Amino acid sequence: MAIFNLIYLSCGIVGLLLLAYKIRALRSSWGSPRVVALISTVFFSAFAVLFAAPANITWINWVSGVPNFSALLVYSLVVCFAGAAFALVLYWRYPAAQAWHRVRLIVVSYTTIVATMVVLFFKSEVDEERQIDFDTHYATQPTIAVFLFIYLVATMVGCGGQAYHCWQGSRDPAISARPWLRLGLRWYCAAALFPMAFAVIKLFVLLMDWAGERSFDVLSTTAPLMASLSMIPLVIAMALPVFGPRRPSPSLWLRRWRTYFALRPLHRALVHVNPGIVLVAPGKFLNPHHRVRRQIIELNDWRWALTPYFDLNVGEAASSRAAQASLSKDDVAAVVEAAQLRAAGSSGRSKPAQRRPASEIVDGTDLATEHDRWVRISRAYQHSPIVDAAVADAARVDAAGGMD
């Protein structure tokens, strides 16, 4: 019993949190049929799972004063969930006016089903409270048999329609350009498969009970646990289109760390130019996007400060040697820049560097175009023999001039 309470209550609380978030996020669009269908879907699923916990079953039966009233309440919520989910995907796939012609039929049909279930329940003799085996215990009572049959078929049809339309929608060429939305639809499809499988299993056990075969009753007891787990893919499905586009891909995250470590030696070599501008924002230490962005801002600032000390001889020597080595245009530029930075940063400067005011140093947002350039400069600064030779040539020239 404890495991049933744990799973149902946990999934129910997750559903209520999702419901609260959706109501708050969509409060400005309450007039939209899509929003009404979405909120209804989350509402019915959350409370169906929450009220299915054995602890709540006892409480509901006690408050209502009707034995097994919780079964009627939970099953009605499940049917409403199936209808709302079916309506929701129709609103996603078709314009509102076109979808309404189909949704209207769903509303009328599922309202009639719930009303029929209520009549059948109160026409039945269900005086003995059954917390987890209501279906199998009363399966052979005619009115409850019909009650269970229409409940399971309605659930299977509604969730099957949701799964079908979500899968078809995810294959729509118009949605292919929005990968997070496509992935979200597939998770909605997965969310529908759980209660659909639950309904199929329950219906199979019900038919076996009618035939007098009771060996499958254990499946009916455990099947609802499967349906409650649909809350997990449902949460993922609703979160992906909202939060997915805001999160960088894992491959980009790894590329940014590679860039960070490629720039780190050059950053450390030039930090003495103005260490006061080095900044890592609170909470961003392990964020490679922020760390690389700051590196490039600081490298640009230090380059600007060192520019007055760039030696024409160093640049010409590096450019000449790079041309002799048949380097590409980008690599030539990187070698020249690295040589200039090496010479200016390591020489004794006779005049103060002209530096930008601190108020002008801003943490930018999109410096991706500079990543490759600075990585090439950093690698040339560390490893290029041309840089070493150009700086050494300039040093010899300066030394010879000093002796004269």
Side-chain angles (χ1 to χ4, degrees):
M1 194 70 71
I3 188 64
F4 285 90
N5 278 319
L6 176 63
I7 294 176
Y8 286 131
L9 292 175
S10 299
C11 292
I13 290 171
V14 169
L16 292 179
L17 293 174
L18 178 61
L19 177 63
Y21 169 76
K22 284 297 180 182
I23 290 175
R24 181 177 180 276
L26 301 174
R27 62 185 181 276
S28 61
S29 304
W30 266 104
S32 168
R34 291 183 181 180
V35 172
V36 173
L38 177 59
I39 296 298
S40 298
T41 300
V42 181
F43 176 88
F44 291 131
S45 62
F47 280 98
V49 174
L50 189 66
F51 289 160
N56 287 332
I57 289 174
T58 302
W59 178 78
I60 292 169
N61 292 337
W62 176 77
V63 170
S64 66
V66 179
N68 297 302
F69 181 78
S70 58
L72 173 63
L73 177 61
V74 171
Y75 292 178
S76 298
L77 288 170
V78 172
V79 169
C80 290
F81 158 74
F86 199 173
L88 176 61
V89 295
L90 291 177
Y91 274 122
W92 282 342
R93 292 208 65 194
Y94 305 104
Q98 183 179 350
W100 171 243
H101 293 295
R102 297 184 172 106
V103 171
R104 181 170 51 190
L105 178 61
I106 292 174
V107 172
V108 172
S109 301
Y110 277 74
T111 301
T112 303
I113 289 170
V114 171
T116 304
M117 289 170 59
V118 171
V119 172
L120 289 170
F121 178 84
F122 283 104
K123 288 289 184 180
S124 306
E125 296 292 334
V126 287
D127 296 334
E128 183 182 350
E129 181 179 297
R130 311 297 298 189
Q131 289 190 348
I132 60 175
D133 63 345
F134 175 87
D135 296 4
T136 54
H137 185 78
Y138 292 108
T140 54
Q141 186 176 146
T143 50
I144 291 297
V146 176
F147 167 89
L148 294 173
F149 182 80
I150 62 174
Y151 148 64
L152 294 171
V153 170
T155 302
M156 187 167 54
V157 170
C159 294
Q162 176 191 349
Y164 170 79
H165 284 286
C166 285
W167 182 257
Q168 290 298 111
S170 70
R171 301 173 64 188
D172 190 326
I175 294 178
S176 298
R178 304 172 65 183
W180 289 108
L181 178 57
R182 183 180 70 244
L183 188 58
L185 285 174
R186 291 184 176 176
W187 276 102
Y188 271 112
C189 178
L193 294 178
F194 282 88
M196 189 177 175
F198 150 80
V200 170
I201 294 171
K202 280 274 196 178
L203 190 58
F204 168 76
V205 174
L206 181 64
L207 295 175
M208 291 296 100
D209 287 345
W210 291 353
E213 179 56 64
R214 290 283 182 168
S215 59
F216 296 100
D217 284 2
V218 66
L219 296 177
S220 181
T221 303
T222 56
L225 295 176
M226 178 189 303
S228 67
L229 294 177
S230 66
M231 192 58 66
I232 297 173
L234 182 62
V235 170
I236 296 172
M238 291 190 174
L240 278 175
V242 178
F243 297 104
R246 303 179 187 177
R247 302 302 302 170
S249 67
S251 60
L252 179 60
W253 187 84
L254 291 174
R255 288 201 302 273
R256 286 294 178 270
W257 273 123
R258 286 199 296 268
T259 301
Y260 170 79
F261 285 109
L263 295 177
R264 194 180 184 194
L266 178 61
H267 188 272
R268 286 186 166 186
L270 299 180
V271 69
H272 68 278
V273 175
N274 185 3
I277 68 169
V278 176
L279 169 69
V280 178
K284 298 287 188 177
F285 184 79
L286 296 178
N287 185 331
H289 309 281
H290 171 78
R291 301 298 299 274
V292 170
R293 189 161 59 239
R294 288 302 313 171
Q295 278 182 322
I296 291 179
I297 291 171
E298 291 153 12
L299 287 170
N300 276 318
D301 193 87
W302 296 332
R303 183 206 180 275
W304 184 89
L306 290 173
T307 299
Y309 306 101
F310 279 9
D311 189 333
L312 180 62
N313 293 329
V314 173
E316 289 179 347
S319 179
S320 175
R321 289 176 178 273
Q324 293 174 9
S326 301
L327 298 183
S328 67
K329 181 180 177 180
D330 289 339
D331 288 337
V332 170
V335 165
V336 172
E337 185 77 12
Q340 295 277 30
L341 290 171
R342 170 85 67 79
S346 59
S347 65
R349 289 171 285 180
S350 59
K351 57 180 179 177
Q354 303 173 16
R355 300 183 183 179
R356 293 157 59 188
S359 61
E360 296 182 13
I361 302 172
V362 181
D363 192 357
T365 56
D366 183 14
L367 299 173
T369 55
E370 297 195 58
H371 289 180
D372 290 343
R373 183 176 74 88
W374 275 110
V375 166
R376 283 194 296 268
I377 293 171
S378 180
R379 288 171 178 164
Y381 190 98
Q382 301 171 73
H383 307 300
S384 175
I386 296 175
V387 171
D388 296 337
V391 173
D393 288 349
R396 283 194 294 271
V397 170
D398 289 343
M403 288 192 302
D404 292 342

